[in-house]
Amino acid sequence: MGGTDALHNYDVETDPPAIEPVEHRIRLDFMAGGPIRRDQLLEKYNSWKGGPENIDPWKQSGTAKPEGLKYAEETCCRTLKEEERYYDCFEDDRALSEAPAFLAHRLRQCRSATDPEEALHSERKRRATWYRKLIPWLNLYQVLKKSSYGTLFGSSAGPQPNAEALTRQNTLVGMVVLGDDDQTPSKYARSHSLPAKYVIREADLSCSESSAAARPSEFGIELPAPLLVGEYTTGGRYPFIPWSDGLVCSCPYKHDQPWRVLCKHELLAAVVAGDQNSIFLPVTKGLEIPHRARRFVSPDFSD
């Protein structure tokens, strides 16, 4: 892995964390919530037209809301309240040292703005919108649709796909990912006595097909690197990238909008990890890879 990955040490002033604490908590919420039934997924919901001023789409459709989503919404409300105290002391470095790193970074930026009070008001409003509307209504509700998470079920997964049913059609593969200038996969495999089918060029991953997606090398991962690659029933092949003490999916949905905290592939990973009762994702096929490349949730938030 790259140098920054090995050190687990990031300067938030120049490189704010890509994964906030709330993202880890939401992953734990869906892990605790268990499998999600087909009949719990939304069908007609339009996330771009939804918001907290509207009727809850599950109540409107008479469908049971997934337990993990209930927990995640409680997390959003609780986190918004937890952050309130930092706005009143945004000029106090001692107080900000206890705040989540990304929030502390944003509040220090407010402090150095031309009009600090106006910048603080704007940041407070932005965070409230994130927790009340963007995360639940535009992100989580969108993922929990038949046209999103439901596409990973496959036809034979049953009405309530558990980890075994999900990974029967969506495999988590241990692979070595090569850079464009490295040896050919077949030559690299021979020189390291590896099965050639588990060695792949970064350019042949699905994340290389979209400018909105994230390549491992763009996250500071030095290639060749052993990574966990999700091969999905939808045809996508996206690696999970070690970052900010956890994993981030490289698919375009996750990276097209910076406020999104979860994609359908990470939701599937949460259900699988919850069934395993572990913060580490299993390798269902392929090579054994380091724990760092399988750690779905930061240990700091899993206690």
Side-chain angles (χ1 to χ4, degrees):
M1 297 298 176
T4 54
D5 182 56
L7 293 171
H8 310 294
N9 187 21
Y10 304 93
D11 181 353
V12 296
E13 294 299 329
T14 57
D15 186 19
I19 301 180
E20 284 207 354
V22 70
E23 296 186 54
H24 289 287
R25 290 173 184 153
I26 286 173
R27 291 176 177 194
L28 289 167
D29 290 334
F30 280 105
M31 286 167 65
I36 297 164
R37 302 195 310 268
R38 287 179 188 271
D39 63 7
Q40 290 180 301
L41 298 176
L42 299 174
E43 194 160 7
K44 298 179 180 178
Y45 175 71
N46 183 341
S47 63
W48 295 108
K49 294 183 179 180
E53 68 279 2
N54 301 118
I55 300 173
D56 182 296
W58 276 271
K59 180 181 274 189
Q60 190 173 36
S61 64
T63 306
K65 181 176 281 192
E67 288 300 311
L69 177 58
K70 292 180 187 177
Y71 300 153
E73 290 184 299
E74 290 170 5
T75 288
C76 286
C77 292
R78 185 176 65 254
T79 305
L80 184 60
K81 289 178 182 177
E82 287 173 354
E83 289 186 358
E84 279 294 318
R85 64 190 179 102
Y86 297 114
Y87 295 102
D88 297 327
C89 53
F90 78 112
E91 294 182 328
D92 185 346
D93 275 323
R94 184 181 299 177
L96 288 188
S97 67
E98 299 176 6
F102 190 90
L103 177 61
H105 169 69
R106 296 285 298 191
L107 293 181
R108 289 190 185 101
Q109 287 183 321
C110 292
R111 197 165 60 193
S112 60
T114 305
D115 186 338
E117 291 298 329
E118 175 57 31
L120 182 67
H121 174 75
S122 177
E123 181 61 24
R124 198 172 200 161
K125 184 177 178 181
R126 188 184 75 88
R127 300 287 284 192
T129 299
W130 197 41
Y131 290 121
R132 290 177 178 150
K133 179 176 181 177
L134 297 184
I135 292 179
W137 289 79
L138 271 68
N139 182 186
L140 302 182
Y141 291 10
Q142 168 66 27
V143 169
L144 285 159
K145 292 178 65 175
K146 291 180 180 176
S147 60
S148 182
Y149 184 59
T151 63
L152 301 178
F153 283 9
S155 58
S156 62
Q160 182 169 304
N162 58 14
E164 182 182 355
L166 289 170
T167 54
R168 201 180 301 131
Q169 301 183 56
N170 304 277
T171 52
L172 300 174
V173 188
M175 305 188 83
V176 173
V177 178
L178 306 180
D180 294 340
D181 298 328
D182 292 323
Q183 296 174 312
T184 63
S186 58
K187 194 174 287 187
Y188 185 92
R190 280 197 305 273
S191 64
H192 289 79
S193 301
L194 299 173
K197 61 181 177 179
Y198 299 131
V199 180
I200 187 173
R201 280 204 186 283
E202 183 183 46
D204 293 327
L205 294 165
S206 298
C207 56
S208 297
E209 299 170 3
S210 168
S211 59
R215 289 183 169 211
S217 57
E218 294 172 340
F219 271 60
I221 303 298
E222 293 180 3
L223 303 178
L227 298 175
L228 190 64
V229 178
E231 294 185 342
Y232 302 101
T233 186
T234 51
R237 184 159 56 176
Y238 295 104
F240 286 97
I241 304 172
W243 189 248
S244 289
D245 214 19
L247 297 176
V248 61
C249 178
S250 59
C251 77
Y253 178 82
K254 186 67 189 287
H255 300 275
D256 188 43
Q257 299 290 344
W259 43 262
R260 287 175 178 154
V261 297
L262 190 79
C263 66
K264 64 183 180 182
H265 308 116
E266 291 176 350
L267 177 55
L268 183 144
V271 173
V272 171
D275 186 72
Q276 301 273 325
N277 193 26
S278 172
I279 64 171
F280 299 98
L281 292 175
V283 177
T284 58
K285 188 171 71 174
L287 310 172
E288 274 302 310
I289 58 173
H291 274 61
R292 176 71 181 100
R294 296 194 291 109
R295 189 168 63 213
F296 187 57
V297 180
S298 167
D300 291 342
F301 298 95
S302 61
D303 295 334

